[in-house]
Amino acid sequence: MEFTGSSYTGAFKNGRMEGEGEYKFPTETRYVGDMKDGMFHGKGVLYFPNGSKYEGTWEKGISKQGKYTFSDGLEYQEKDWEFCDGYDRQFYTERCNGLKPAGESQLTDLDPPRVIPDGCYDCGDGFYDPNTRVITDYEHHFLRNADDYEREWIVSTCRKSWDEVVGHSPDN
């Protein structure tokens, strides 16, 4: 675990994680729950740095069933999912709290939205800097390097900081 940057607090049996415990990944994602023979096994919850979580039942390290809850409390539903489809592009907080008055746009589910560093993109779990191709979390800690596929997706999909002057110019 020292090599990977992970840590574990809990019971061991024959030198392997066993019983209830907490496994922390280097990305700050945490698993809290049952372990058997060094693997997630039984009931457990993965807590993600963005505040979301996945509660599941695991067998030999593989999730067999569970549910994902976004950081705002919205629970993902595999069937009859009505959130953010082609017909309804409201954010969850808009569905819960109502729409803003005309002229007051809500740019993200988080209102007010995060301030994105100059030239960067908000890619959902952190900021992407196209100059370095690095993604950092929202506290600016390294998460990962973006490969070509992820870079393309971020640049074509995600919200970017303002990097140009827009609006009325009295000189023009």
Side-chain angles (χ1 to χ4, degrees):
M1 283 185 267
E2 289 179 24
F3 180 73
T4 64
S6 301
S7 63
Y8 174 71
T9 305
F12 286 89
K13 181 178 179 184
N14 297 325
R16 300 184 67 105
M17 300 176 288
E18 186 91 19
E20 287 193 26
E22 178 178 335
Y23 186 91
K24 192 172 186 180
F25 294 87
T27 60
E28 301 298 315
T29 297
R30 298 179 302 122
Y31 171 83
V32 178
D34 298 327
M35 306 285 244
K36 183 175 182 183
D37 197 27
M39 295 179 275
F40 303 166
H41 192 86
K43 293 191 182 290
V45 182
L46 277 171
Y47 295 97
F48 299 97
N50 67 1
S52 62
K53 66 181 177 178
Y54 179 82
E55 300 171 83
T57 302
W58 308 80
E59 287 182 19
K60 297 182 180 178
I62 299 171
S63 173
K64 295 299 183 176
Q65 77 176 60
K67 71 175 183 176
Y68 181 82
T69 305
F70 294 90
S71 60
D72 59 12
L74 176 67
E75 289 184 8
Y76 175 74
Q77 298 173 354
E78 198 166 332
K79 295 181 180 179
D80 301 322
W81 180 253
E82 296 177 357
F83 177 69
C84 247
D85 61 16
Y87 303 104
D88 180 2
R89 300 297 297 168
Q90 292 181 51
F91 292 107
Y92 180 62
T93 53
E94 290 177 309
R95 293 182 79 177
C96 293
N97 304 325
L99 295 174
K100 290 182 167 223
E104 291 184 32
S105 297
Q106 184 168 332
L107 299 175
T108 69
D109 193 49
L110 184 63
D111 189 42
R114 288 183 181 88
V115 175
I116 304 171
D118 289 344
C120 295
Y121 295 80
D122 183 345
C123 59
D125 60 347
F127 299 121
Y128 170 71
D129 184 337
N131 296 319
T132 62
R133 294 182 69 142
V134 168
I135 298 170
T136 59
D137 66 17
Y138 293 120
E139 283 77 43
H140 305 286
H141 299 108
F142 176 85
L143 285 179
R144 65 187 174 278
N145 292 309
D147 61 18
D148 291 339
Y149 177 80
E150 187 174 28
R151 186 202 76 74
E152 179 69 29
W153 181 85
I154 291 170
V155 170
S156 66
T157 308
C158 297
R159 194 169 66 93
K160 185 179 183 191
S161 69
W162 288 103
D163 61 355
E164 59 188 50
V165 177
V166 295
H168 173 72
S169 173
D171 297 332
N172 291 334

